[in-house]
Amino acid sequence: MNMIIKRDKYLDELIGWKHTDLIKIVTGLRRCGKSFLLFNFFHQHLLSVAQTKATLLRLLWTTLAMKH
């Protein structure tokens, strides 16, 4: 059974810093939901406020092949 815990506090914090020029870094223990927070909750928020999907770019670095 997969249980999803919505992290409203952290999501609200990310949303609050969204329009700043600062680089946002999410830190935490291993497997505590950092990627899930960004790629699911924050991405859904961005989709809900975006004019079009074309304004969003989502990269999964682990699936990109590195070329030398």
Side-chain angles (χ1 to χ4, degrees):
M1 177 171 105
N2 291 337
M3 185 168 75
I4 296 174
I5 300 172
K6 187 143 188 202
R7 307 284 187 189
D8 291 327
K9 177 183 173 185
Y10 302 113
L11 182 59
D12 291 341
E13 190 81 20
L14 276 173
I15 292 168
W17 286 95
K18 181 173 60 173
H19 294 294
T20 65
D21 290 336
L22 298 173
I23 296 172
K24 288 67 166 179
I25 300 172
V26 179
T27 63
L29 298 172
R30 184 176 174 170
R31 302 194 52 79
C32 69
K34 300 176 296 287
S35 296
F36 195 85
L37 172 70
L38 291 173
F39 292 125
N40 290 293
F41 295 139
F42 193 59
H43 188 255
Q44 286 302 316
H45 165 74
L46 293 175
L47 285 175
S48 70
V49 298
Q51 300 291 327
T52 65
K53 283 187 177 183
T55 60
L56 297 176
L57 177 64
R58 185 173 174 179
L59 297 175
L60 299 175
W61 296 105
T62 57
T63 58
L64 295 176
M66 301 299 257
K67 297 192 179 197
H68 299 279

